[in-house]
Amino acid sequence: MLSRFSDVLQTAADVLAPPATRLEDFQYHWKMIIHFYQNYDDNSKVHIEDTRIPHHLHQMLQLIVEEEKEQQGGTVGPCLEAIVQRSVCLLDALTALAAADRPPGARSLALTTGTALLRRTRQPCVNSAHVYRPLQRMLIQCNENPASPTEKEEVELLLTLCGLVRKEPGLANIFTTPFVEEKSSLLSIPEDIQRLIPLKSKVQTPKKNPLFEVEMAPNPMRNISLVRTNSKEDNGAITTSNSSVADDNVSCKSQKTVYEDNDKFLLIDLLLSYLNSADNQVVLRACEGIMIVSSLPEDDIANLVTSCSPVCETIIEKLAEKYKSVPLDVDPNDVDHLNITWAYVAQDFGDKGYNRFHGYRELTSFFSWLDYCDTLMKECHPAIASHLSRTFRAQFLEAAGELALGSARSATLAAALLAKCLRVVDSQELINEFSNWLVGDGEMSEWPLLLVLINNCLSDDHDLTLETLRFFETIVEKGTEHSINRLVLSRVCSRGYYSQQPVLEEDERDRLNDVSLWRERERNREAMKQLQHEDHVTEQINDILQHEGLETKEQPDTENIHRIINSFLLLLPRAVLSDPVGSDYEHYIHDAQRHYQLWLDVTSNFSWPSDQNCGDNTASSTHSYDSRPEADIHMNEEFQPLHQTMDHKDTWIKDHYPMDDNNHFSQKLVLRTRDVNTTAVEEEFDEGPFFRMLFKLLSNMPYQPYQVNLHLTAIISKLALIPHPYLHEYLLNPMLPTSKKTPTLFKILQDVARRLTMEIPRIKNYKKVIESTRLQLMSEDPSYDDRGDHNQLVESLIVLEEFCKELAAIAFVKYQHGMHMHG
Amino acid sequence: MAYAYLFKYIIIGDTGVGKSCLLLQFTDKRFQPVHDLTIGVEFGARMITIDGKQIKLQIWDTAGQEAFRSITRSYYRGAAGALLVYDITRRDTFNHLTTWLEDARQHSNSNMVIMLIGNKSDLESRREVKKEEGEAFAREHGLVFMETSAKTAANVEEAFINTAKEIYEKIQEGVFDINNEANGIKIGPQHSTGGGASGAGGAGAGGAAGGGCC
Ligand SMILES: Nc1nc2c(ncn2[C@@H]2O[C@H](COP(=O)(O)OP(=O)(O)OP(=O)(O)O)[C@@H](O)[C@H]2O)c(=O)[nH]1
Ligand SMILES: [Mg+2]
C-alpha cells in the first residue's frame, strides 16, 4: 500500500520538477524494491504478484530496453552500466530472490526477469563478472530439487543462456568448471542484499547440483589458457568498481581454451537433469538447449560437449530405456504406421485423447526420442555426431539386439521396432551404425546376430518370419555399400554360380524355350490357347517396348531381352493366370524405372564394377558373354581359375591373388578354390545364408501366408534392382549357365510354378477361385487378413504372377538403361 | 474441448518481423511492444470455426535468428500450414523470403499450405516493400498473400483463418491424407469414435508397400 502511494507521489513530483532522467527513473524503481524489503514482514502471506515488485522490475527492464535502442554502436547505456558497475545490484537481488523465494512467488519472478533481461537486450554484457556471477549463482538455484515448481522458468533461463552461447561461443567459458571458483565465493551475495533478503539455510547449500560434484583443482585458472581480446567494456566504457573480485579482468571472450579431464560443461550438465522432468514442455526445452549448443561450429565447444559432459551417453541411455519400456504385446502393425516428429510430441502428450491403442504412448515416446537423436545427428558438430553414433551402436543397438535373441514374441517385437527405427532414421551415420551392427565390421563375415535373424525368418511362427523379413527389407532398402557387400554380394561376387557345362546349358535352354510342356501343346486345345497367349504376350511386349523407345530393328540385342521377359511372363501357363493380359505391365515398368534410378543414385559412389559392365551383361545375357569381347576379357581375368583344370590353379592364384591382397572378395575366391581342391570335381556354389533363406522361403511360397510372400518377393525385387553386374545376372538372367545343383532365382520360380500348375487345377472351380481371390487381394480391404477363408495356394499363385511381371519389368528397365548408356 | 480437426501451423521468417506478436495477437488479442527474442519455439493454440466445424489450431512460433535454425527445421516436418512473415519496413526481410521458402519446401511435406504475410502494415510511413511486390512474390511462388499488423490486429484473424480454410479445402479435395499425422492434421475425438478403427485402418494395405500385388 505504502509503495503504491509513493509511486503516485513520484508521478505527482514529475509534473512539477523537470522530467527525471532515465537513470533516475531506474534508480527510483530500485529504491522502491529495497524499500519493500526493508519493511518486509515474513509473517505476511502476501504473494509477490500482489506486491509492487513485479511492476518495479518490469519498469527497470523496460528502461534498459529503451536506452539500448538509443545507444550508438553497441555502447552501454547508463542503466545497464549501473548494473555492470554494481551500483544497482539488481542481478544480485534477483539471485537472492531466486534462492529465498521471499515473498512466495519471488523465485519464479526472479528467474523470468533474468531471462527477459537476457532476451530483450541485444548486449546484456554477460562477459562482465558482475553479470555472469549472479547468473552462475542463479543456475545453482536451478536444479536444486528435481521436480521444482519453477522448473519451467529454470529451464527457460538455461535455454536463454544456450542461446547466448550459440551467438557468442566465448561465453561457454562462463559455464565450465575452471571459471567456477571456491564454493564460498561463488555463493556469496553482497552483504547488503543478504541482509535484505536473508536466505534460508537449507537453500544455501544445494546438494543435487552438478556444480558441487566437481572436483576442484587447487588452482583452477592453471588449467585454462585464455587469449584475451579487447572488448568494448575493457576500453573504459565501463570502469569496474573497486569492490570487484580479482578475475574481473579476465575477459570471457576467450577464443581458445584447453580442457582437462575433470572439467565439466555445467550448462549442458544442468540441462541434462531436466530431461527427466515429468513435464514434457520442460524436456522439450532442455532438448532444444542441447541442440542449440551442439550445433555450434566451434571445435572447442564440440570437444567440451563430448569429453566434459555425458550428454551423448545420457541421450542414448534414455533411448534404450524407452525402447525397453515398450510393452511386449504391442501389435507390430501399429509400430509400422507411426509417424512422429519429436518437436510436436510434447504438446500432443498433454492431450488426453493421445492414447490410441495399447502401447501407443510408449511407442510414441520411444520414436520421438529416436527422431530427436536423428535430428541432433544431422544438426550437430561432426565431432559430436561421431561420438553420438558410436554411443548409439554401443549402448542402444547392442542392447536392442538382445531382445532379438529372446523368445519368439520379443524377437518379433524387436524386429518390428528395429525395422521401423531404420526406416525412419535419416542420418547416414546412424544408418551406417545400423548396418555395421547387423553384418559386423570385423573380419568375421557371418555375424552371430545376422545368423539368428536369418534363422528367425525360417521360424514356424509366421509373425516372427514376417517382421524379420520386413527388417531385412529395410536393411536392403537402406543398404550401405558395406551391408550389401556382406549380406548379398559376398558369395555372388565370386561368380561361382557360373558354370560352362555345355550339355547342361543346352538342356537348360531347351527347358526355357518351352516353358509349358511341348507335348501337351501339340495335343490339346488348351495348348493351342497357350500358344496364342504366348504370341499375344510377345506382341504386347513388343508394343510396350516400342512405346518405351526401344527400336526393335536397330538393336541387335533386343531379341535377348525379349527372351528374358518372356521367360518371366510365360512362367505360369495361361490356364492358371488370373490376369493374363499384361495390362499393369507398364505400371511395373514405371515403378522399376523410378526405383532403379534411386538405386543408381545411392550406389553411384560405391566401388562396384561399373554400370557399363552391368549394361553389357544384360545385353549379352543370352550370349553367355561369348559375343562380348570386353566382357570376355573381364571374365577371363577374374574368374578363369574357377573353371580351369586343377593343375593350373595354384600358380594362377599366386599370380593374380597375392596373399597380402586385402580385398576381401578375393580372399573368398581363394577359399572357394581351395574347397574345390579338396572336394569333388563338381563345384557347388554356396549362395550364402541370406540367399539360402530367401530361396528356401521362396520355394515354400505355396504354403505360406500371403503377407510373408509379399514381403519376400519385395525383398527379392529390391535385390534385383541393385545395379551390380553379377547380382544382376544371378537373379535376372534365366539363361545363365550354372551347374545343376546351383540354386538360382529362376530355377526356384520354375519349380514353384510347376507345383502350383499341378495343384491348383485340382481345386474345385479353380478358375472362379482364382478370379475372386484376385479381386479380394486387389481391393485392399483391411479386414481381409483377419478372415479365415483364405486359399493360400491361390494367393501365392497371384503373388507369383505379379512377381514375374515385376521381374520382367526390372530386367527390361535395366536393359533399357544400359542401352542408353551406350548411345 | 471437442474439435472436428486439429491443424498444426508454424510461423517462420526473419528475426524481429513480428512472428511472436502475430501469435500473441491471435491467441490473446494483445500486442507486445518489446522484442522478446524467441529461442527455440513458442507454442499457442486457439479454436476457430470453418464451415460450421470447430477447428483447433496449434501454432508453433519459431525463432527467426540464424543461430537457432537447427530447431526451426525440426518443426517443418509435420506441419499442415506455415505463415511466412516479412516486415514491410525492412527490405532485407523481404529479400530473404526465397531462402525461407527453399528451406520450408525442402523440409516439409509437399502439401503444406504457405501463407505469405507482410507485417507491420501500421507503419505506412516507414514502408520499404510495396504491397504489389508482396503480391507478385506470392503469385510467382503459389502462395496466398496478406498484409497484417500485429499492433492494430488488422488482418491477423484473417491470416490464420484463411490458412485454415485453405487446408480445409485441401482435405475436402482429398489432397491430404488425414490419417497420416506427418501431415499436421488430426481428426477430432468425435470423428474417430469408431472403436480403434483408425488404428487398424490400412493395416491390410501393407501390401501396397510390398511391391508385389496390389
Ligand atoms: N508497429 C508494429 N510493430 C510490430 C508489429 N509486429 C511486431 N512489431 C514489433 O516488432 C518487434 C519484434 O516482434 P517479435 O514478434 O518479437 O519478432 P519475432 O519475429 O518473433 O522475432 P524472433 O523471435 O527473433 O524471430 C517487437 O518490438 C514488436 O513490438 C506490427 O505489426 N506493428
Ligand atoms: Mg519471436
Side-chain angles (χ1 to χ4, degrees), chain B residues 14-21 31-35 37-38 63-64 119-120 122-123 149-151:
Chain B
D14 275 8
T15 181
V17 297
K19 298 183 294 296
S20 302
C21 288
F31 177 65
Q32 148 88 296
V34 291
H35 180 191
L37 181 73
T38 307
N119 189 39
K120 308 200 185 175
D122 56 295
L123 300 175
S149 166
K151 188 173 181 180

Side-chain angles (χ1 to χ4, degrees), chain A residues 472-485:
Chain A
F472 277 114
E473 193 178 340
T474 319
I475 286 284
V476 172
E477 219 166 60
K478 292 238 172 172
T480 62
E481 181 169 6
H482 180 66
S483 70
I484 296 179
N485 281 346

Side-chain angles (χ1 to χ4, degrees), chain A residues 242-261:
Chain A
N242 297 334
S243 67
S244 72
V245 267
D247 65 354
D248 260 346
N249 51 6
V250 177
S251 163
C252 293
K253 286 195 166 177
S254 68
Q255 297 301 307
K256 259 215 147 52
T257 39
V258 178
Y259 303 104
E260 297 266 305
D261 286 347

